[in-house]
Amino acid sequence: TVELEKKNSICAQTKERETNENETPKNCLGSSLNTSKSSVKEIISLNESSDEHDDDGTDENMQLKQCLADEPIPTNKAAFKNHPFFALKSGLTRDEVLAPSVSICGLFKGEPVYRRDDVRMVMTAKKWLYKGRKVEDGEIGKPIKVVKARKKPERAGFQALKSYGMGAGNDGTEESRERIRRKAEDKEEQPDGTERLYGKWQTQRWKPEPVKHGDKIPVNEYNNVEKDLLNPGLTHMTEYKISTVAKKLGVPYAPCLLGFEGHRGNRTPVIRGIVVHDHNAELLREAHDEFSSHLLEKENAERMSLLYGRWKSLIVGIMTKRRLEKEYGEIK
């Protein structure tokens, strides 16, 4: 087909261009040619387009995979950045590591070259919870990578004096103050200013513990519940002024944290709705329907009262003006 001819033509042009290169790094596939990233991307795009239009292109896909397998190692370090097939350990980002068992597929100026498929993402223990996984107890003290914590911008506005005490159990020492402050801010970083990162192989599947009837709603240090970590047995409700209804009925609830908005240091929490037990959700919905009707009547009465008040002010002003003109004459 035409698409297959284009793929083969691209591969042939790439190999012809690579034969003129002076530097020939070793490749585990036996190829010592230079890589053209644009050619790789063009081949991948052709493959995706062919998959959309041809369901029986098994032979073409096999030839495409073989063509991609023959791609050589780049000859400059900048080409390894975001390369789809090869990676250098020195070029990994802050949140990337090599898998525990990897094999070297070549050399670049004496530095081992690895496959991009062997690069893994790593995260802190708390971030793994959002992925539905939890770091195993035996791996807590064995992070796969320790990095310098990202510097947080200093808060503008009120700054506590050194003589201020914070929380119970504060004996006035700087160590006690720092411990309480770190606990309140829920920092992932260690006292030495580093963060511990863990790989997926150090985690196990995890789900929040279910909350039963009569149990307290588990909240974080800021007395709210994160929606991404919502426990089974709890319901997130976003109806207008639903917290007012829950407070009037005496139903236990907690504000719900949806996430953070903004970027870099200007990230602010987004709190919307409340979290209640499942068995109280239906009760609150029924009560909210009745509350909404009363609220509409109350708001309508307030609008009418405001409207009448404005008309009254207008009429009184006109009458006062006429009386003054009658008594003292028209003002020129």
Side-chain angles (χ1 to χ4, degrees):
T1 63
V2 177
E3 293 176 350
L4 180 58
E5 293 177 357
K6 289 183 179 179
K7 298 173 189 175
N8 294 334
S9 176
I10 293 172
C11 292
Q13 292 175 6
T14 302
K15 292 182 178 181
E16 182 179 355
R17 182 166 55 252
E18 290 161 349
T19 54
N20 298 325
E21 295 291 335
N22 296 326
E23 187 176 358
T24 56
K26 296 172 66 177
N27 191 334
C28 63
L29 301 175
S31 176
S32 59
L33 308 173
N34 185 31
T35 300
S36 175
K37 294 177 68 175
S38 60
S39 300
V40 174
K41 292 180 180 179
E42 189 172 354
I43 294 174
I44 294 175
S45 63
L46 286 173
N47 181 48
E48 292 176 351
S49 62
S50 63
D51 290 341
E52 295 177 356
H53 302 291
D54 186 7
D55 296 334
D56 298 329
T58 306
D59 295 338
E60 294 185 11
N61 292 335
M62 292 296 295
Q63 294 184 24
L64 175 62
K65 290 180 180 179
Q66 183 62 35
C67 183
L68 295 178
D70 292 338
E71 285 297 328
I73 294 177
T75 58
N76 62 83
K77 193 169 184 178
F80 281 96
K81 185 177 181 180
N82 298 326
H83 194 279
F85 304 114
F86 302 107
L88 296 175
K89 188 175 182 179
S90 60
L92 299 180
T93 64
R94 179 181 182 273
D95 302 323
E96 291 180 340
V97 297
L98 294 172
S101 57
V102 295
S103 58
I104 300 175
C105 66
L107 291 175
F108 172 76
K109 296 182 179 180
E111 184 177 359
V113 178
Y114 303 92
R115 290 193 173 279
R116 179 63 63 176
D117 294 340
D118 293 331
V119 177
R120 302 289 185 267
M121 295 295 297
V122 291
M123 291 180 283
T124 60
K126 184 174 182 179
K127 288 184 179 180
W128 274 117
L129 297 179
Y130 297 106
K131 302 293 184 180
R133 306 190 70 86
K134 182 179 179 181
V135 178
E136 298 178 357
D137 296 337
E139 299 290 340
I140 290 294
K142 304 175 184 178
I144 193 64
K145 192 174 185 180
V146 179
V147 297
K148 185 178 180 180
R150 292 187 175 95
K151 185 178 180 181
K152 297 182 180 179
E154 296 182 0
R155 297 180 180 178
F158 175 77
Q159 298 292 333
L161 300 176
K162 292 184 178 181
S163 59
Y164 273 41
M166 297 192 308
N170 181 21
D171 55 6
T173 62
E174 186 63 28
E175 292 78 7
S176 178
R177 286 170 48 81
E178 183 64 25
R179 183 182 67 255
I180 298 174
R181 185 186 295 109
R182 190 181 304 115
K183 182 179 180 181
E185 294 179 356
D186 191 26
K187 290 184 177 180
E188 284 286 338
E189 61 185 81
Q190 301 300 313
D192 57 354
T194 60
E195 283 185 346
R196 298 182 177 183
L197 305 181
Y198 303 88
K200 186 176 181 180
W201 60 91
Q202 295 178 290
T203 64
Q204 58 186 358
R205 291 188 178 276
W206 172 83
K207 289 184 179 180
E209 296 182 1
V211 177
K212 300 179 181 179
H213 179 78
D215 293 346
K216 290 184 178 181
I217 298 177
V219 296
N220 56 20
E221 289 79 2
Y222 304 98
N223 292 325
N224 54 50
V225 179
E226 299 184 46
K227 189 174 184 298
D228 293 337
L229 303 179
L230 191 65
N231 301 69
L234 299 178
T235 301
H236 177 216
M237 305 187 69
T238 58
E239 286 81 355
Y240 179 64
K241 288 192 174 181
I242 189 66
S243 59
T244 304
V245 179
K247 188 180 295 184
K248 287 185 176 181
L249 296 179
V251 174
Y253 72 94
C256 185
L257 175 66
L258 298 185
F260 295 85
E261 62 182 7
H263 63 285
R264 295 186 179 179
N266 299 323
R267 292 174 62 82
T268 56
V270 179
I271 297 179
R272 191 168 303 152
I274 63 174
V275 173
V276 299
H277 293 89
D278 287 344
H279 62 274
N280 290 328
E282 189 62 29
L283 172 65
L284 283 177
R285 289 192 182 95
E286 295 177 359
H288 183 267
D289 292 340
E290 185 176 354
F291 171 78
S292 298
S293 61
H294 288 297
L295 184 63
L296 289 175
E297 294 177 1
K298 182 179 178 181
E299 291 178 350
N300 184 55
E302 291 177 353
R303 284 196 299 269
M304 295 301 297
S305 176
L306 180 62
L307 180 62
Y308 291 149
R310 290 177 177 177
W311 274 109
K312 181 179 178 181
S313 299
L314 177 62
I315 295 173
V316 170
I318 294 175
M319 294 178 65
T320 302
K321 181 176 180 295
R322 288 183 177 180
R323 181 175 60 82
L324 292 175
E325 290 178 350
K326 184 177 181 181
E327 293 181 1
Y328 302 101
E330 184 176 357
I331 301 175
K332 294 183 180 179

